[in-house]
Amino acid sequence: MTHVNRNGIFSFFMVPLSVALILFGIFSIVWLRSSVRTTEYSIAALDHRRMEILRDRKTLMAEKAGLLSIQSVKSKGSGKLALVFPDRIKVVHVKKDGKNTPFKASLEGRQLSGP
């Protein structure tokens, strides 16, 4: 006597479907892991670039501070167009009144302690 398996149609569709789902799951896990690694590498590259930019920024700020220092301004003044700090005795005080009058320049209100 031959025995006919009633689950033949069920197993005929379910076994290949379950194998396909398992393969799809494995490949999707590998793809997801690869995508995460790629994202990690891109974040690391951006972080490295950020550190380089910060280093360049600090260098530029140090150069700016060096150029704007008082000693640098005094050393640049050795040429024809000299940058010098004004003498306090020779400074003229200019005051503007609240009216529409010309500016008033005077030496009044100052104590002259020089010659």
Side-chain angles (χ1 to χ4, degrees):
M1 233 176 164
T2 59
H3 180 61
V4 177
N5 190 0
R6 289 186 172 184
N7 294 334
I9 294 176
F10 181 72
S11 64
F12 181 72
F13 288 117
M14 290 306 283
V15 170
L17 184 63
S18 62
V19 169
L21 285 175
I22 289 172
L23 288 175
F24 177 75
I26 290 172
F27 284 117
S28 64
I29 289 173
V30 169
W31 175 80
L32 182 63
R33 186 175 171 138
S34 173
S35 297
V36 168
R37 289 280 181 194
T38 304
T39 306
E40 287 175 355
Y41 284 130
S42 64
I43 288 172
L46 288 173
D47 191 40
H48 182 65
R49 185 169 180 235
R50 180 179 151 264
M51 295 303 284
E52 287 177 355
I53 289 172
L54 287 175
R55 190 179 319 118
D56 290 342
R57 180 179 175 202
K58 287 180 184 178
T59 304
L60 289 174
M61 288 178 72
E63 287 180 21
K64 178 184 174 186
L67 291 174
L68 293 178
S69 71
I70 293 175
Q71 292 175 351
S72 174
V73 170
K74 285 182 181 177
S75 68
K76 298 270 194 250
S78 63
K80 194 175 189 179
L81 298 173
L83 297 173
V84 294
F85 289 101
D87 186 14
R88 296 180 99 190
I89 296 174
K90 297 179 183 177
V91 173
V92 177
H93 179 69
V94 179
K95 187 188 296 183
K96 180 178 179 185
D97 295 334
K99 308 169 200 160
N100 289 333
T101 58
F103 289 107
K104 179 181 177 187
S106 68
L107 294 174
E108 66 186 40
R110 293 189 340 160
Q111 296 175 355
L112 296 175
S113 62

